[in-house]
Amino acid sequence: MKFTAFLKTRGATAAIFMGIFYAVAMLGIFLPGYTAIPGNVDKLPIAIINDDAGKNGAMIAENLQENLPFKEIETDISNKQALKDLEHNDLALVVHIPKTFSEKKNIQKGEASSSIDFTINEAGATVVSSTMNSVVTEINNQLSTQFSQQTAQGVLMNFNVPEKQAAELAEKIEKSYVGNVVTINEIPDGMNHNMLPMFLTMAGYVGAMIGAMQLVGAFRAGRGKASKTRLFAYVQMAALLIAVVSSIIAVGVAYLIDKPSGDLFFGIVGQQILNYMVCFNFTAILIFLFGEGGMILNLPILLMQTIANGATITRDMMHAPYEWMSHISPMYYSVQAYFANLFGSISPSPYIWSMAAVGAVAMLINMAIVAFLHKPMPVQVSETEVEKKAAEITA
């Protein structure tokens, strides 16, 4: 056989096609998706709450609204409600100017005269927490310099120090502003902790996608040996068995490396089992429809979900196609549930139920495909079964 003839074989042509297809799909999905960083940072919602009755608080709040690079800034909200929204990642940053912001204290005692609270939630997309930390650092650097000089100059002038001399002495006075950075739901150091929700989810998703190809193949191979209803039930039962075994092993590996709290073990295993079953039925739709060709279509959907799952960027930052995908993506709800369960202080239940709803719809679609698109085939009775029935009749 010549090399040109070999290249024309089914295996070679399939390999060539997949090499080109995967390269185009991966780059065509990843590169546009990540243009949202930092391009869409301004879409992140934040809140600025000014509880200060003095002029300083109003001045700072107004300056922040004018100068911060965010389009959605909530001001008509209480600090309590803002922190609650931050817990649910509905806000990316909460800036709170307290009632005591304009109160003067004795500078000679080295006490800060003013402080602002900047609260960030780490249990969410990594880009959000890192971006907010950078923004807060820049704000504090500017405020600590400008505000402290103005305060010191004003105090010195009250002691009848000439304005020019007061301005010079102000540079030498200890800064009177302190930016209080509060981090809630802190994640332990190490990128392995930040990425654990995504890696657990992807481990289940990829395993389920490959499992769907194999089990649906077994379904097709079993046609004529059992009814399609029974075979479909066998497929789901086999998937559940794989889900239980693989989830225990996957979570065990995660505990060996990341060492989450032992109290969470059974909850994480349960979610991983659900994650596998939902992803299995989600990816099985195209395979029930198109056979092995459905696996090719599943690949770009998987790649799209690696951006749309919310582990790196939030829905607020995503371009429209990725945001749409996040609403039907089992990976999105799984990642958010893991963040809430592993590092957050809110219940993962809303995400769990949303993921279960996606799985239920996917299973119903698969049942409809099997019922209406797969033609019934007569069940062939094996010789052993014929002999057994004949023996029963003669008996």
Side-chain angles (χ1 to χ4, degrees):
M1 177 186 289
K2 293 183 179 180
F3 181 63
T4 53
F6 176 79
L7 289 178
K8 294 178 181 179
T9 60
R10 182 179 179 182
T13 53
I16 294 170
F17 172 79
M18 287 304 297
I20 297 172
F21 176 80
Y22 192 77
V24 172
M26 186 169 186
L27 294 175
I29 291 172
F30 278 6
L31 294 182
Y34 281 114
T35 59
I37 308 170
N40 289 351
V41 167
D42 60 344
K43 293 183 178 180
L44 292 173
I46 70 168
I48 300 176
I49 301 97
N50 177 29
D51 288 333
D52 180 41
K55 294 182 179 179
N56 289 331
M59 177 187 67
I60 296 297
E62 184 179 352
N63 288 338
L64 289 176
Q65 290 181 59
E66 292 178 355
N67 298 319
L68 285 178
F70 301 108
K71 296 179 180 178
E72 186 177 344
I73 301 178
E74 292 190 39
T75 56
D76 189 18
I77 187 174
S78 67
N79 187 50
K80 182 178 180 180
Q81 182 60 46
L83 292 176
K84 184 177 179 180
D85 291 344
L86 182 68
E87 290 272 5
H88 290 81
N89 286 314
D90 293 329
L91 290 173
L93 172 68
V94 174
V95 182
H96 180 225
I97 304 174
K99 294 180 180 179
T100 58
F101 182 75
S102 294
E103 292 183 3
K104 296 181 180 179
K105 295 183 180 179
N106 191 345
I107 294 179
Q108 293 179 350
K109 294 181 180 179
E111 295 179 351
S113 62
S114 306
S115 67
I116 296 177
D117 295 329
F118 299 88
T119 309
I120 302 168
N121 184 8
E122 283 196 355
T126 54
V127 168
V128 174
S129 58
S130 61
T131 299
M132 291 303 109
N133 273 303
S134 299
V135 169
V136 169
T137 299
E138 182 63 25
I139 293 173
N140 279 329
N141 288 339
Q142 294 181 10
L143 287 179
S144 63
T145 301
Q146 297 172 5
F147 185 77
S148 62
Q149 289 181 8
Q150 293 172 3
T151 302
Q153 185 173 341
V155 172
L156 291 171
M157 288 179 66
N158 288 335
F159 288 110
N160 298 320
V161 178
E163 183 177 355
K164 183 177 180 181
Q165 186 178 357
E168 294 174 353
L169 291 174
E171 295 285 348
K172 301 179 182 179
I173 293 181
E174 185 177 0
K175 293 180 179 179
S176 59
Y177 165 81
V178 173
N180 184 29
V181 181
V182 180
T183 302
I184 62 173
N185 302 325
E186 291 189 31
I187 297 177
D189 293 333
M191 200 65 181
N192 55 307
H193 295 289
N194 292 80
M195 300 307 293
L196 180 58
M198 180 176 174
F199 288 161
L200 274 172
T201 298
M202 287 197 69
Y205 191 101
V206 174
M209 183 173 66
I210 297 172
M213 181 181 68
Q214 299 295 335
L215 290 177
V216 174
F219 170 88
R220 292 176 179 274
R223 297 297 305 278
K225 299 177 182 178
S227 67
K228 59 183 183 180
T229 302
R230 176 173 291 189
L231 287 172
F232 184 82
Y234 287 168
V235 166
Q236 296 295 328
M237 291 167 61
L240 180 59
L241 177 62
I242 297 168
V244 172
V245 175
S246 64
S247 296
I248 293 174
I249 295 174
V251 175
V253 172
Y255 266 80
L256 287 174
I257 299 172
D258 280 28
K259 300 177 176 61
S261 171
D263 297 338
L264 301 175
F265 181 82
F266 291 106
I268 297 174
V269 169
Q271 180 182 329
Q272 189 70 0
I273 293 172
L274 176 63
N275 174 46
Y276 185 98
M277 291 302 298
V278 172
C279 295
F280 174 84
N281 281 282
F282 185 81
T283 55
I285 294 174
L286 292 174
I287 301 175
F288 271 120
L289 280 173
F290 305 111
E292 293 183 0
M295 192 67 174
I296 299 175
L297 298 176
N298 270 325
L299 285 175
I301 295 175
L302 166 63
L303 296 176
M304 198 168 186
Q305 287 182 85
T306 58
I307 296 176
N309 63 33
T312 305
I313 59 178
T314 65
R315 276 179 176 166
D316 301 295
M317 295 179 65
M318 294 176 191
H319 295 305
Y322 302 90
E323 181 187 355
W324 297 336
M325 173 60 73
S326 73
H327 290 284
I328 63 169
S329 164
M331 285 184 68
Y332 177 84
Y333 298 114
S334 177
V335 167
Q336 302 311 309
Y338 274 132
F339 268 124
N341 202 7
L342 287 167
F343 309 116
S345 52
I346 61 173
S347 172
S349 296
Y351 302 113
I352 295 291
W353 283 111
S354 296
M355 181 166 55
V358 171
V361 171
M363 181 179 284
L364 288 174
I365 293 174
N366 286 326
M367 292 171 66
I369 293 171
V370 170
F372 299 110
L373 299 184
H374 287 249
K375 295 180 180 179
M377 294 178 62
V379 178
Q380 299 176 358
V381 181
S382 65
E383 293 182 3
T384 304
E385 291 179 342
V386 171
E387 293 175 356
K388 185 177 179 180
K389 288 182 179 181
E392 291 176 353
I393 294 172
T394 54

